[in-house]
Amino acid sequence: MKIGNVESYLNDVIKKEGAAYAVLIDPDEKNYAEIAEKVKDYADVIIIGGSIGICNLDDITKDIKEITNLPTILFPGNVDGITKEADALFYMTLMNSKNTYWAITAPTLGCIKIKKEGIEPIPMAYIGVEPIQNTAVGYVGEVNVIPSAKPEIAAMYCLSASYFGMRWAYLEAGSGAKFPIDNKAIATAKHLADINIIVGGGIRNPETAFEKVIYGADVIVTGTLTEENPEAVKEMRNAIKKAGLKKLEKLNKL
Ligand SMILES: CC(C)=CCC/C(C)=C/CC/C(C)=C/CC/C(C)=C/COP(=O)(O)OP(=O)(O)O
Ligand SMILES: O=P(O)(O)OC[C@@H](O)CO
Ligand SMILES: [Mg+2]
């Protein structure tokens, strides 16, 4: 499947700056407009989605696009998480769900609408790692949790996803997770698989974001932090871009 505009844009950001910063906005958040306004100069892309309930997704996505003027990617928690107002959508399989609904049925039920509305699908493997079991997505998605002490299992899912032809893998600790994805899981995945790695869940300060990029994350996602303190976005961006450049310098020396 051809690479579309939003995916190319993300690839360019990663190529030039070493890493991209995605801010997750839950459409169920009452202050979504305020978050969008505060993050618009610092995020590279806005992702829109939630595990539970979706209200007015069309209008909210339209508003977020108008306020930020940034590319928007839907992050659907189910088949109702699709709107033509968005530029793109993570066409995702929750690879390690115990329920085939989340692994393949939900994306399949959504595929015709995505095509008809002309939304750009970005093929993505969604992989749930400890402590996702304590978060909404772990519960809703019936995740067969990968222990954080077994980073090689997360990396194997990334390699498997790349063999399936997917171009993106999202290592997810869960929104509001007590701790983020283990550095070793990121490094092992990056070493093993030719795939872009998105890391999210429990990233709450610039030091953590910096470290995740150095270990191999191509995209860092924050949701809870930017909901609670949207001003933090500036420092987060600085850390992500600083780590990105450091990573590029290291690669150029090899
Ligand atoms: C591609 C299509 C049409 C559907 C895919 C549907 C799949 C596979 C869903 C996976 C399971 C799932 C529930 C994912 C939700 C991911 C998401 C948007 C998480 C955002 O965080 P929340 O869990 O809403 O966080 P809060 O609890 O903080 O609100
Ligand atoms: O809310 P946080 O913990 O930043 O997690 C963001 C994202 O990974 C959730 O899908
Ligand atoms: Mg939510």
Side-chain angles (χ1 to χ4, degrees):
M1 195 184 65
K2 248 179 35 198
I3 297 184
N5 291 341
V6 176
E7 195 176 347
S8 294
Y9 159 80
L10 268 184
N11 280 334
D12 276 356
V13 172
I14 294 165
K15 198 170 158 204
K16 287 188 194 125
E17 298 170 3
Y21 183 23
V23 169
L24 168 69
I25 302 185
D26 190 328
D28 285 326
E29 253 331 288
K30 279 190 267 339
N31 61 338
Y32 73 89
E34 186 197 333
I35 301 170
E37 182 59 45
K38 293 208 166 133
V39 305
K40 71 175 197 285
D41 296 326
Y42 303 103
D44 293 306
V45 67
I46 303 289
I47 62 181
I48 302 172
S51 301
I52 315 164
I54 296 275
C55 39
N56 276 330
L57 187 62
D58 296 347
D59 293 345
I60 290 171
T61 305
K62 211 168 158 189
D63 281 355
I64 292 174
K65 264 204 80 66
E66 268 167 28
I67 296 168
T68 64
N69 210 18
L70 287 170
T72 46
I73 305 178
L74 295 170
F75 185 28
N78 210 330
V79 284
D80 57 357
I82 306 171
T83 168
K84 63 174 182 335
E85 303 299 336
D87 303 300
L89 168 144
F90 282 133
Y91 192 74
M92 56 204 243
T93 160
L94 180 46
M95 280 188 103
N96 60 326
S97 175
K98 293 174 194 159
N99 185 336
T100 51
Y101 179 81
W102 303 110
I104 196 64
T105 313
T108 302
L109 292 173
C111 70
I112 295 292
K113 182 168 182 190
I114 295 162
K115 190 172 173 77
K116 271 196 180 155
E117 306 285 23
I119 309 162
E120 174 188 334
I122 300 178
M124 195 251 279
Y126 193 41
I127 300 155
V129 183
E130 198 187 342
I132 195 169
Q133 67 275 20
N134 300 323
T135 71
V137 57
Y139 171 78
V140 175
E142 299 167 68
V143 177
N144 187 20
V145 183
I146 299 170
S148 59
K150 290 285 166 199
E152 63 275 23
I153 301 179
M156 281 158 64
Y157 272 101
C158 292
L159 180 62
S160 169
S162 75
Y163 285 174
F164 276 122
M166 287 176 243
R167 298 188 284 258
W168 300 80
Y170 191 138
L171 293 177
E172 173 71 282
S175 186
K178 283 231 165 66
F179 55 89
I181 298 287
D182 186 73
N183 293 336
K184 214 167 159 209
I186 303 170
T188 314
K190 202 63 204 169
H191 177 74
L192 201 62
D194 182 14
I195 198 162
N196 290 307
I197 309 267
I198 307 168
V199 174
I203 300 177
R204 285 172 172 271
N205 58 58
E207 295 75 25
T208 307
F210 182 90
E211 201 179 282
K212 302 298 159 200
V213 172
I214 293 293
Y215 276 88
D218 297 292
V219 180
I220 296 290
V221 181
T222 61
T224 306
L225 172 77
T226 25
E227 270 166 24
E228 287 173 358
N229 174 22
E231 272 86 15
V233 75
K234 188 175 175 185
E235 279 196 328
M236 291 301 285
R237 183 186 176 85
N238 288 343
I240 291 163
K241 299 299 172 178
K242 201 169 147 196
L245 290 180
K246 207 168 162 182
K247 200 166 67 174
L248 287 180
E249 275 167 25
K250 203 173 150 199
L251 278 174
N252 289 337
K253 275 192 203 141
L254 295 176

mmCIF file of all heavy atoms in Angstrom, residues 24 75 126 170 172 174-177 200-203 221-224, ligand 2:
data_model
loop_
_atom_site.group_PDB
_atom_site.id
_atom_site.type_symbol
_atom_site.label_atom_id
_atom_site.label_comp_id
_atom_site.label_asym_id
_atom_site.label_seq_id
_atom_site.Cartn_x
_atom_site.Cartn_y
_atom_site.Cartn_z
ATOM 1 N N LEU A 24 -1.666 13.449 22.009
ATOM 2 C CA LEU A 24 -2.953 12.750 21.937
ATOM 3 C C LEU A 24 -4.035 13.607 22.596
ATOM 4 O O LEU A 24 -3.893 14.015 23.754
ATOM 5 C CB LEU A 24 -2.851 11.407 22.683
ATOM 6 C CG LEU A 24 -4.164 10.673 22.945
ATOM 7 C CD1 LEU A 24 -4.784 10.149 21.651
ATOM 8 C CD2 LEU A 24 -3.965 9.517 23.916
ATOM 9 N N PHE A 75 -6.982 7.850 16.182
ATOM 10 C CA PHE A 75 -6.439 6.721 16.945
ATOM 11 C C PHE A 75 -7.678 6.012 17.495
ATOM 12 O O PHE A 75 -8.074 6.230 18.641
ATOM 13 C CB PHE A 75 -5.547 7.326 18.031
ATOM 14 C CG PHE A 75 -4.787 6.385 18.887
ATOM 15 C CD1 PHE A 75 -4.394 5.131 18.447
ATOM 16 C CD2 PHE A 75 -4.406 6.779 20.169
ATOM 17 C CE1 PHE A 75 -3.661 4.294 19.261
ATOM 18 C CE2 PHE A 75 -3.677 5.955 20.991
ATOM 19 C CZ PHE A 75 -3.308 4.707 20.534
ATOM 20 N N TYR A 126 -0.366 -2.332 17.101
ATOM 21 C CA TYR A 126 -0.534 -1.750 18.443
ATOM 22 C C TYR A 126 -0.213 -2.875 19.428
ATOM 23 O O TYR A 126 -0.820 -3.958 19.378
ATOM 24 C CB TYR A 126 -1.982 -1.288 18.547
ATOM 25 C CG TYR A 126 -2.318 -0.393 19.703
ATOM 26 C CD1 TYR A 126 -1.470 0.622 20.115
ATOM 27 C CD2 TYR A 126 -3.540 -0.524 20.362
ATOM 28 C CE1 TYR A 126 -1.816 1.461 21.164
ATOM 29 C CE2 TYR A 126 -3.897 0.314 21.404
ATOM 30 C CZ TYR A 126 -3.026 1.311 21.801
ATOM 31 O OH TYR A 126 -3.382 2.139 22.835
ATOM 32 N N TYR A 170 3.379 0.550 17.637
ATOM 33 C CA TYR A 170 3.137 1.436 18.788
ATOM 34 C C TYR A 170 3.298 0.601 20.044
ATOM 35 O O TYR A 170 2.482 -0.278 20.323
ATOM 36 C CB TYR A 170 1.720 1.987 18.672
ATOM 37 C CG TYR A 170 1.322 3.118 19.599
ATOM 38 C CD1 TYR A 170 0.567 4.179 19.109
ATOM 39 C CD2 TYR A 170 1.652 3.146 20.952
ATOM 40 C CE1 TYR A 170 0.159 5.235 19.926
ATOM 41 C CE2 TYR A 170 1.261 4.188 21.773
ATOM 42 C CZ TYR A 170 0.509 5.227 21.256
ATOM 43 O OH TYR A 170 0.095 6.257 22.071
ATOM 44 N N GLU A 172 2.779 0.382 23.648
ATOM 45 C CA GLU A 172 1.829 1.121 24.504
ATOM 46 C C GLU A 172 1.842 0.581 25.927
ATOM 47 O O GLU A 172 1.594 -0.605 26.161
ATOM 48 C CB GLU A 172 0.418 0.970 23.903
ATOM 49 C CG GLU A 172 -0.722 1.528 24.724
ATOM 50 C CD GLU A 172 -0.761 3.059 24.762
ATOM 51 O OE1 GLU A 172 0.036 3.652 25.511
ATOM 52 O OE2 GLU A 172 -1.598 3.634 24.034
ATOM 53 N N GLY A 174 -0.141 2.191 28.061
ATOM 54 C CA GLY A 174 -1.493 2.569 28.490
ATOM 55 C C GLY A 174 -1.527 4.009 28.958
ATOM 56 O O GLY A 174 -0.582 4.490 29.593
ATOM 57 N N SER A 175 -2.627 4.678 28.626
ATOM 58 C CA SER A 175 -2.747 6.079 29.022
ATOM 59 C C SER A 175 -2.813 6.182 30.543
ATOM 60 O O SER A 175 -3.578 5.474 31.198
ATOM 61 C CB SER A 175 -4.003 6.681 28.395
ATOM 62 O OG SER A 175 -4.043 8.046 28.669
ATOM 63 N N GLY A 176 -1.966 7.048 31.090
ATOM 64 C CA GLY A 176 -1.916 7.233 32.540
ATOM 65 C C GLY A 176 -1.126 6.138 33.247
ATOM 66 O O GLY A 176 -1.197 6.015 34.473
ATOM 67 N N ALA A 177 -0.353 5.364 32.494
ATOM 68 C CA ALA A 177 0.417 4.242 33.084
ATOM 69 C C ALA A 177 1.350 4.746 34.193
ATOM 70 O O ALA A 177 1.888 5.849 34.105
ATOM 71 C CB ALA A 177 1.237 3.557 31.993
ATOM 72 N N GLY A 200 4.335 5.294 23.803
ATOM 73 C CA GLY A 200 3.407 6.105 24.591
ATOM 74 C C GLY A 200 2.948 5.397 25.840
ATOM 75 O O GLY A 200 3.116 4.185 26.004
ATOM 76 N N GLY A 201 2.360 6.205 26.724
ATOM 77 C CA GLY A 201 1.842 5.689 27.986
ATOM 78 C C GLY A 201 2.797 6.009 29.120
ATOM 79 O O GLY A 201 3.924 5.522 29.129
ATOM 80 N N GLY A 202 2.371 6.880 30.033
ATOM 81 C CA GLY A 202 3.147 7.149 31.246
ATOM 82 C C GLY A 202 4.374 8.030 31.060
ATOM 83 O O GLY A 202 5.222 8.091 31.944
ATOM 84 N N ILE A 203 4.478 8.735 29.924
ATOM 85 C CA ILE A 203 5.621 9.651 29.734
ATOM 86 C C ILE A 203 5.183 11.018 30.265
ATOM 87 O O ILE A 203 4.288 11.651 29.725
ATOM 88 C CB ILE A 203 6.053 9.719 28.248
ATOM 89 C CG1 ILE A 203 6.475 8.314 27.784
ATOM 90 C CG2 ILE A 203 7.185 10.734 28.063
ATOM 91 C CD1 ILE A 203 6.857 8.213 26.322
ATOM 92 N N VAL A 221 4.521 9.938 22.259
ATOM 93 C CA VAL A 221 3.138 10.392 22.446
ATOM 94 C C VAL A 221 2.924 10.794 23.905
ATOM 95 O O VAL A 221 3.315 10.059 24.809
ATOM 96 C CB VAL A 221 2.121 9.274 22.092
ATOM 97 C CG1 VAL A 221 0.690 9.769 22.261
ATOM 98 C CG2 VAL A 221 2.344 8.744 20.686
ATOM 99 N N THR A 222 2.310 11.956 24.107
ATOM 100 C CA THR A 222 1.818 12.271 25.450
ATOM 101 C C THR A 222 0.340 12.644 25.374
ATOM 102 O O THR A 222 -0.079 13.320 24.440
ATOM 103 C CB THR A 222 2.577 13.446 26.133
ATOM 104 O OG1 THR A 222 2.420 14.642 25.366
ATOM 105 C CG2 THR A 222 4.048 13.139 26.320
ATOM 106 N N GLY A 223 -0.412 12.158 26.350
ATOM 107 C CA GLY A 223 -1.833 12.469 26.428
ATOM 108 C C GLY A 223 -2.153 13.081 27.780
ATOM 109 O O GLY A 223 -2.471 14.264 27.900
ATOM 110 N N THR A 224 -1.981 12.284 28.842
ATOM 111 C CA THR A 224 -2.325 12.733 30.195
ATOM 112 C C THR A 224 -1.567 14.008 30.575
ATOM 113 O O THR A 224 -2.161 14.971 31.064
ATOM 114 C CB THR A 224 -2.008 11.600 31.204
ATOM 115 O OG1 THR A 224 -2.689 10.424 30.758
ATOM 116 C CG2 THR A 224 -2.463 11.948 32.599
HETATM 117 O O1 LIG B 2 -1.808 9.539 28.532
HETATM 118 P P1 LIG B 2 -0.404 9.040 28.427
HETATM 119 O O2 LIG B 2 0.048 8.302 29.643
HETATM 120 O O3 LIG B 2 0.533 10.128 28.025
HETATM 121 O O4 LIG B 2 -0.424 7.956 27.231
HETATM 122 C C1 LIG B 2 -0.618 8.365 25.897
HETATM 123 C C2 LIG B 2 -0.917 7.238 24.952
HETATM 124 O O5 LIG B 2 0.118 6.328 24.840
HETATM 125 C C3 LIG B 2 -2.200 6.544 25.262
HETATM 126 O O6 LIG B 2 -2.600 5.782 24.199
#
